Amino acid sequence: MVEENKKKTAKQRPARRSWLRRFGSVVKWMFILGILGILFAGGAVAGYVTSIVKDDPVRSEELIQQQVSQNAITGFAYFRDGQPIGQLRTEEDRRLIEFNDIPQLVIDAVLAIEDNNFYNHKGVDFSGTVRAVKQKLLNESVQTGGSTLTQQLARRVFLNLDRTEDRKVKEILLSLRLERFLSKQEIITAYLNKVPFGNGSNGYNVYGIKAAAKGIFGLDDLDKLNIAQAAYLAGLPQLPSKYSAFNGVGEFNETAFGRAMDRQKLVLRRMLEENKITTSQYDEALLFDIKASLAPHTKKAYATYPYLMLETERKAAEILLSINEEKTDATDPAASTDDTVLLEEARQQLMTGGYRVYTTIDKKVYSAMHSISEDSDNFTKDSKSRGKEQTAGMMIDNKTGAILGMIEGRDFNIEQMNYATQMVRQPGSTMKPIAAYLPALDAGLIQPASIVDDAPIILKDGTKGFHIPKNANNRYQGLVTARYALNKSLNLPALKLFNDKVGIEASWAFTKKLGITTIQDDDYNAQTGVIGGLRYGVSVEELTNAYSSIGNKGAFNDAYMIEKIVDSQGKIVYQHKVNPEQVFSEQTAYLMTDMLRTVITEGTASTVRSNYKHFKEVPIVGKTGSTQNYGDVWFMGYTPDVTLGMWVGYKEQINTLQGDTQKRQAQTLWAKVMNKVIEKQPELFVTKAFTKPEGIVKKTVSAYSGKLPTDLTDKFTTDLFNTKYVPKDSDDGISKAKYITYGGVNYLPLEGTPEDFLKEKIVVKREKPIQDLVKELLAAFPAMKEHEPLEYYMPEDAKTDFPTEVDPRVDDGNAPAAPGGVNVSYSSGKAVITFTPSSSSDVVGYRLYRSLNGGTFKKQAVISAGENTVFSPGTPETVNATFYVTAVDVAGHETASGSVSGGATPTPEVTPTPEALPGTDPTPDGGAVPEATEDPGMIIVDPGSSDVPTGSVNDPTGGSSNAAGGSNNAGGGGNNAAGGGNNAAGGEKGAGKTK
């Protein structure tokens, strides 16, 4: 049975497999393993690629189109006439071009060297990649690179430029995706708009073929490129920094140019191999002189016009910011972003958006102004302690507010701040017309012939108790016309207008309407703000702008420098609109202009008067200004067409201007700038006179009150008036009175006061009697740390004041103490008698007695107490004369001094009759200098005369007979300081002076 089973088992065993079957099995398993290997490798590669791109977004067609077409485009600024100022600030020059504007020659040159299979691949040229690898491994002389144009575009748009394997993988995948959504034309256009070509002849990095042609060859039209130039440009993008013929400041680089020429020859050879050019074209291109065709070296706009370019950038960015804010939804959270951040975003938008900014700057005006500021001979030498004397100026078109030119500073390399627009300094007396005279004129509170009182006012001061402002000439001139007060830049009349007549609040409200934006809350408490005592001050731009409204007949235009802004598509995104606002009447503007005319012809602007050369052709008016210790000096002047404001000082206001030349420097530079601008751009000055509007008349009024003369009036002034405000009331500013003078003040006499010490004259009734002023001064002195003597504060016309108080001296019941130290001397052959005053407090004056040849003593003259201690009777030296002096008190008691020149004790006579001897010349009123017959600022005329002195604005030369206090004005001649002194800039805390 067992045997049987074994047989059966043996019979059932299969036959052995053949070798063919074994081979097939091996192949099968190798195939399986191969598939598994491929799958594994593919998975590994896929995993590797996935790990690289896992953080990269899948870019949509819309996003790809948007980012490829997005370009940072260079912007430009232009002068008023369309001439280019230069490229907006960036180190790059980018100019876009459309595909249809790219010559085929340029495309052929670029593809020949960068991607000769461009139209056949789908984003990646694998054969080109293999070829590039082979060239690199074998270090072949010709290396074409493995990246297609599509890859280079993908890298530049979406990736960084680091040479890593990861980046290469991303680049390939992005290229494949770009080819799905972009046409070949779009790809090559984007490439030629984005790739760098090195530096241009002005030093800017040029991006894109259009900027390259302009920056390297000076060609705006690509069709003007020849084969040699096209090949030169096509070779640059591979290594633009290595091949750039110009460095960062536009200087020629011979070594780099040589490398670029080697590269150009390679491009030409590739073009020949690709049959893009013929052999003859190739040979001709090799012979072309590329170096000779390079653009000439030019400076960057920021080197040529650094101040102007920065100001254009700043103002244009502010405009774009306002446009952006208008578009922003008020509910948008981004709307609350910090203004500084938003302004920077607007600036970046301007820099990269291809905007064209058209300014109002006149190139000739700007150059003329800078020819003055850039000439060091026009300035004081630099000081080691104070630095460089700085200046700023601005010229504005009166009718539009357009800024025609400016001086932003003297040296951009030292100070980049624009002193004309960004600096804020104390305005000194240039604020007087804006905050005092203009609002007062417009409200009818004053007219040019109105009488104002140049007498002290006492202001409260937190540190000194009280503050008494002064004038630059260190004196108070009393009652003067408003015109004269402005001509001589007197502080007190302006302060009274500002504080009392107009009021601080109304004055600042008026000032703000004229574009002054720097008024602070603290300034409403600054009683000296009208003469420069502001917290911060004003800018040259805003102050010049305010004055231009006067030249524009009372219509204010906000000054502007940007005429329009055009985007990269040629669309006007901003256009300035002139929108004048009538702030004050034409009549007010004309009267103010006429008053400012005589500031030049007869007032403080003597340096302008001496240096300005065009009075006959171009009429000018203006106002001086300076601050305490001359930390700042100003001149604001205008013609019927333009206004020019000038400032001079140092960077730090604590560094003051010194010497007469520096103190008048603003006037000097103003005249020089105006002379130069008129010479270079005369067509700006077409209006030959300030036009007088309807409603202006000429009237003669009392020089005491500014009202209609009466029979008592003996002093007159004639000037221009707004017909609305011609005075209707009669002169009530004078009266006839009998009075006695004590301490420079007129008083009503006590009963018993001797008649020979009394005066009976026409006296002035001023708004604040001198007696009241004296009381206020005496009350303030104890609270002041320092002050001048009482006499310093007495106005020059105090002796003409109407008495309202009784003589404060009281009779002590005794005869007064005798005067002492009586002495006679001779001057020019005539006797001069001096004495020392009596020690008695009730003395009203002194009498001089004389005896000839031992005869009777007779009274010669009297002097009121406090006036003088010198008699000049005019007695000749050849006459044998003896003199003595007596003191007289308020009750008439008289005490004699000892005799002089004779020794006999004189016996005084009771009120002897004066004797007029031949050859003698008794001194009127007791020997004091005769009083002036005219008050400062008053013009005495015959009211019936047809030849009444006045000033016409159309006569820029003025004249000595003008109604402003010229040579006919008492006190207005050579003794009237036109300048000098210090200006108040420190508000109430400084007892400074301003002009």
Side-chain angles (χ1 to χ4, degrees), residues 620-826:
I620 60 170
V621 305
K623 182 70 186 76
T624 56
S626 54
T627 56
Q628 187 164 334
N629 298 323
Y630 290 90
D632 308 272
V633 293
W634 301 76
F635 189 78
M636 291 286 147
Y638 58 91
T639 77
D641 299 299
V642 305
T643 299
L644 171 64
M646 292 294 299
W647 164 88
V648 176
Y650 287 97
K651 181 180 180 180
E652 303 296 336
Q653 194 177 31
I654 193 173
N655 295 323
T656 59
L657 300 164
Q658 300 173 1
D660 191 61
T661 299
Q662 277 198 310
K663 291 175 181 179
R664 295 177 175 272
Q665 186 72 295
Q667 293 187 55
T668 302
L669 293 178
W670 191 94
K672 288 183 177 181
V673 168
M674 279 298 296
N675 290 337
K676 181 66 72 171
V677 172
I678 292 172
E679 174 191 337
K680 296 295 183 182
Q681 192 68 311
E683 55 266 33
L684 286 177
F685 305 92
V686 295
T687 310
K688 300 305 179 184
F690 290 98
T691 306
K692 182 168 71 174
E694 295 292 328
I696 298 294
V697 295
K698 186 187 297 181
K699 288 287 183 181
T700 299
V701 295
S702 166
Y704 295 106
S705 63
K707 297 179 181 180
L708 299 177
T710 66
D711 292 341
L712 195 60
T713 306
D714 62 351
K715 295 181 181 180
F716 310 88
T717 184
T718 301
D719 213 323
L720 303 175
F721 285 82
N722 183 336
T723 52
K724 290 173 59 177
Y725 303 117
V726 171
K728 299 177 181 178
D729 298 330
S730 297
D731 187 7
D732 59 358
I734 53 175
S735 178
K736 207 163 194 176
K738 184 177 284 189
Y739 60 93
I740 189 167
T741 302
Y742 170 54
V745 180
N746 296 338
Y747 292 98
L748 297 171
L750 293 167
E751 186 176 352
T753 300
E755 285 287 330
D756 55 341
F757 289 97
L758 301 184
K759 302 172 184 176
E760 187 170 8
K761 294 182 179 180
I762 292 176
V763 287
V764 178
K765 294 181 176 180
R766 62 206 314 148
E767 190 172 337
K768 174 177 283 187
I770 296 298
Q771 293 93 328
D772 293 349
L773 174 63
V774 170
K775 289 180 182 178
E776 291 181 5
L777 289 167
L778 293 175
F781 285 168
M784 298 177 66
K785 293 181 180 179
E786 56 182 26
H787 60 80
E788 305 291 346
L790 179 64
E791 294 76 17
Y792 175 91
Y793 299 106
M794 291 298 100
E796 293 178 1
D797 63 349
K799 293 180 182 179
T800 67
D801 201 48
F802 182 82
T804 60
E805 301 281 339
V806 176
D807 189 345
R809 292 168 291 191
V810 178
D811 178 28
D812 60 8
N814 300 314
V822 179
N823 180 58
V824 63
S825 60
Y826 290 89

Side-chain angles (χ1 to χ4, degrees), residues 563-580:
E563 188 65 54
K564 67 178 178 179
I565 300 177
V566 180
D567 67 15
S568 61
Q569 305 301 315
K571 177 184 176 183
I572 297 176
V573 297
Y574 170 80
Q575 176 71 62
H576 180 81
K577 295 181 180 178
V578 177
N579 186 27

Side-chain angles (χ1 to χ4, degrees), residues 165-181:
E165 296 302 324
D166 289 357
R167 191 215 70 194
K168 198 68 176 178
V169 171
K170 293 178 182 179
E171 179 186 300
I172 290 172
L173 294 176
L174 277 170
S175 299
L176 295 172
R177 192 164 182 78
L178 257 61
E179 291 275 354
R180 285 182 57 194
F181 300 129

Side-chain angles (χ1 to χ4, degrees), residues 416-692:
Q416 286 77 51
M417 182 181 74
N418 186 332
Y419 282 95
T421 62
Q422 295 175 295
M423 174 194 68
V424 175
R425 298 291 276 260
Q426 295 294 341
S429 291
T430 55
M431 187 57 77
K432 290 175 184 174
I434 303 303
Y437 287 93
L438 270 176
L441 282 168
D442 205 49
L445 301 174
I446 61 166
Q447 294 290 283
S450 295
I451 304 304
V452 293
D453 196 355
D454 181 33
I457 57 174
I458 303 168
L459 305 176
K460 290 183 178 180
D461 190 300
T463 60
K464 299 179 181 178
F466 293 99
H467 166 55
I468 307 175
K470 299 178 180 180
N471 286 318
N473 57 16
N474 274 304
R475 57 196 179 109
Y476 301 93
Q477 294 180 242
L479 298 178
V480 295
T481 63
R483 180 188 289 273
Y484 180 85
L486 186 63
N487 282 354
K488 302 303 180 183
S489 201
L490 302 179
N491 288 337
L492 281 304
L495 286 169
K496 291 174 181 178
L497 290 174
F498 178 69
N499 286 280
D500 303 328
K501 288 189 177 292
V502 180
I504 295 178
E505 188 168 340
S507 290
W508 288 147
F510 187 91
T511 302
K512 288 180 177 180
K513 288 182 180 180
L514 297 182
I516 305 295
T517 64
T518 51
I519 302 300
Q520 304 296 306
D521 291 343
D522 292 352
D523 294 329
Y524 285 84
N525 301 317
Q527 294 173 285
T528 56
V530 73
I531 59 176
L534 302 173
R535 180 174 182 183
Y536 295 125
V538 297
S539 70
V540 176
E541 177 183 359
E542 290 190 350
L543 190 56
T544 306
N545 196 189
Y547 271 82
S548 72
S549 69
I550 316 174
N552 197 34
K553 303 178 181 179
F556 173 75
N557 284 305
D558 198 10
Y560 71 101
M561 198 185 95
I562 307 301
E563 188 65 54
K564 67 178 178 179
I565 300 177
V566 180
D567 67 15
S568 61
Q569 305 301 315
K571 177 184 176 183
I572 297 176
V573 297
Y574 170 80
Q575 176 71 62
H576 180 81
K577 295 181 180 178
V578 177
N579 186 27
E581 178 187 356
Q582 196 72 36
V583 178
F584 49 95
S585 71
E586 289 189 34
Q587 291 76 21
T588 296
Y590 185 79
L591 293 176
M592 187 78 259
T593 294
D594 195 57
M595 292 171 74
L596 291 175
R597 173 183 60 81
T598 50
V599 169
I600 293 178
T601 59
E602 300 164 15
T604 55
S606 58
T607 302
V608 169
R609 181 167 66 246
S610 300
N611 289 278
Y612 181 63
K613 299 177 180 178
H614 301 278
F615 279 108
K616 293 183 179 179
E617 308 97 62
V618 182
I620 60 170
V621 305
K623 182 70 186 76
T624 56
S626 54
T627 56
Q628 187 164 334
N629 298 323
Y630 290 90
D632 308 272
V633 293
W634 301 76
F635 189 78
M636 291 286 147
Y638 58 91
T639 77
D641 299 299
V642 305
T643 299
L644 171 64
M646 292 294 299
W647 164 88
V648 176
Y650 287 97
K651 181 180 180 180
E652 303 296 336
Q653 194 177 31
I654 193 173
N655 295 323
T656 59
L657 300 164
Q658 300 173 1
D660 191 61
T661 299
Q662 277 198 310
K663 291 175 181 179
R664 295 177 175 272
Q665 186 72 295
Q667 293 187 55
T668 302
L669 293 178
W670 191 94
K672 288 183 177 181
V673 168
M674 279 298 296
N675 290 337
K676 181 66 72 171
V677 172
I678 292 172
E679 174 191 337
K680 296 295 183 182
Q681 192 68 311
E683 55 266 33
L684 286 177
F685 305 92
V686 295
T687 310
K688 300 305 179 184
F690 290 98
T691 306
K692 182 168 71 174

Side-chain angles (χ1 to χ4, degrees), residues 70-200:
Q70 182 177 339
N71 289 282
I73 311 171
T74 300
F76 295 89
Y78 299 88
F79 284 110
R80 186 186 191 191
D81 60 359
Q83 291 186 66
I85 301 173
Q87 180 178 318
L88 293 176
R89 183 172 52 166
T90 173
E91 288 305 311
E92 302 173 358
D93 184 358
R94 297 175 181 265
R95 310 182 190 206
L96 293 186
I97 192 168
E98 300 293 332
F99 177 80
N100 291 335
D101 296 323
I102 305 173
Q104 187 61 44
L105 172 63
V106 171
I107 295 175
D108 289 343
V110 170
L111 294 183
I113 192 65
E114 293 292 342
D115 191 357
N116 63 341
N117 199 32
F118 174 71
Y119 288 108
N120 298 319
H121 62 66
K122 297 298 183 182
V124 180
D125 184 357
F126 291 104
S127 62
T129 302
V130 171
R131 181 180 68 249
V133 171
K134 177 180 75 72
Q135 291 171 346
K136 189 171 185 66
L137 290 175
L138 298 179
N139 196 25
E140 296 182 8
S141 60
V142 177
Q143 296 189 6
T144 56
S147 295
T148 64
L149 252 63
T150 312
Q151 287 175 262
Q152 294 180 49
L153 179 63
R155 177 170 68 244
R156 184 157 293 278
V157 174
F158 298 105
L159 306 173
N160 60 45
L161 302 181
D162 297 337
R163 294 180 176 275
T164 64
E165 296 302 324
D166 289 357
R167 191 215 70 194
K168 198 68 176 178
V169 171
K170 293 178 182 179
E171 179 186 300
I172 290 172
L173 294 176
L174 277 170
S175 299
L176 295 172
R177 192 164 182 78
L178 257 61
E179 291 275 354
R180 285 182 57 194
F181 300 129
L182 301 176
S183 69
K184 292 292 185 179
Q185 288 184 358
E186 290 173 323
I187 291 171
I188 195 168
T189 302
Y191 173 86
L192 287 174
N193 275 325
K194 291 181 181 295
V195 292
F197 288 81
N199 299 113

Side-chain angles (χ1 to χ4, degrees), residues 819-893:
V822 179
N823 180 58
V824 63
S825 60
Y826 290 89
S827 176
S828 300
K830 294 188 178 182
V832 176
I833 296 89
T834 61
F835 63 95
T836 57
S838 167
S839 61
S840 299
S841 60
D842 60 349
V843 171
V844 293
Y846 303 92
R847 292 173 179 148
L848 174 69
Y849 292 88
R850 183 187 66 184
S851 168
L852 294 177
N853 300 316
T856 305
F857 280 91
K858 296 183 181 290
K859 185 176 71 172
Q860 292 296 294
V862 298
I863 293 178
S864 294
E867 284 185 347
N868 208 343
T869 58
V870 178
F871 285 102
S872 299
T875 304
E877 187 175 8
T878 56
V879 175
N880 182 18
T882 306
F883 302 90
Y884 73 89
V885 179
T886 67
V888 184
D889 67 13
V890 293
H893 302 126

Side-chain angles (χ1 to χ4, degrees), residues 941-978:
V941 297
D942 178 1
S945 170
S946 61
D947 187 21
V948 176
T950 187
S952 168
V953 191
N954 296 328
D955 176 17
T957 59
S960 61
S961 62
N962 282 335
S967 60
N968 293 334
N969 251 344
N975 295 329
N976 201 326

